[in-house]
Structure formats: C-alpha cells, structure tokens
Amino acid sequence: MKLRLIMLLVIGPLFALAGYLMFDKVGAQRALLAQAHANSVTVAEGAIAGSLVHELQKERGYSAGFISSAGGNFPQELGEQRRATDENVAFF
C-alpha cells in the first residue's frame, strides 16, 4: 500500500471524529445561548410587570385617600398618578 493511502486511512477517521465532536459542541452552545436569551426576556418582562404593579398600587392608595376624604386629599396627585399608570399600561 502506498504511504498516502495508509495515512488517509489512519488520519481520516480522526478528522471525522473531531468534526463530529465540534458539531456536537456547537449545538450544545447554541442551546445554552437560546436558554440565556429566553431567561433575559423573562427577566425584562418581570421588571416591566413589577413597575406596572407598583404604579397600580400607588394609584390604588391615592384613590382610597381621595374617596375617604370625599375629594379633599390627593386630587392633583391622583391625576398625575393616573397618567403615570397609563404610560406603564402602554408597555403591555
């Protein structure tokens, strides 16, 4: 047998194995990247939802104070808070 053929028969399978292992590793890294992206989207959505809940709770407090005082307390603050709440609702 020629030396080139022997070298091809020995080195060829090693290159094939290295290629397969690299392809497998790249697939695993892509899966990790997709999971990291999904996690970052979930965290961002949680922050937006938390901000909305905070604004709604502030509006609820101003409304309760306004109603219990028969319109004497928080008339201006309630209007400003409703606008702030509407801005946060626009994100959804």
Side-chain angles (χ1 to χ4, degrees):
M1 276 188 162
K2 289 187 173 183
L3 182 59
R4 287 184 183 175
L5 182 60
I6 293 173
M7 293 295 287
L8 181 64
L9 291 175
V10 170
I11 296 174
L14 293 175
F15 279 141
L17 177 64
Y20 170 76
L21 292 175
M22 285 304 297
F23 181 75
D24 188 47
K25 185 71 168 176
V26 167
Q29 291 296 321
R30 283 185 180 165
L32 286 173
L33 179 64
Q35 183 63 37
H37 178 68
N39 288 344
S40 67
V41 168
T42 301
V43 167
E45 288 173 349
I48 292 171
S51 176
L52 175 62
V53 168
H54 178 69
E55 295 299 328
L56 287 169
Q57 287 294 336
K58 285 174 29 181
E59 183 177 342
R60 178 178 173 256
Y62 282 135
S63 296
F66 183 78
I67 290 170
S68 67
S69 68
N73 292 336
F74 309 119
Q76 183 178 2
E77 292 90 346
L78 183 57
E80 292 171 3
Q81 184 58 45
R82 285 186 176 155
R83 281 188 290 280
T85 302
D86 289 342
E87 290 174 7
N88 275 299
V89 169
F91 285 117
F92 285 97

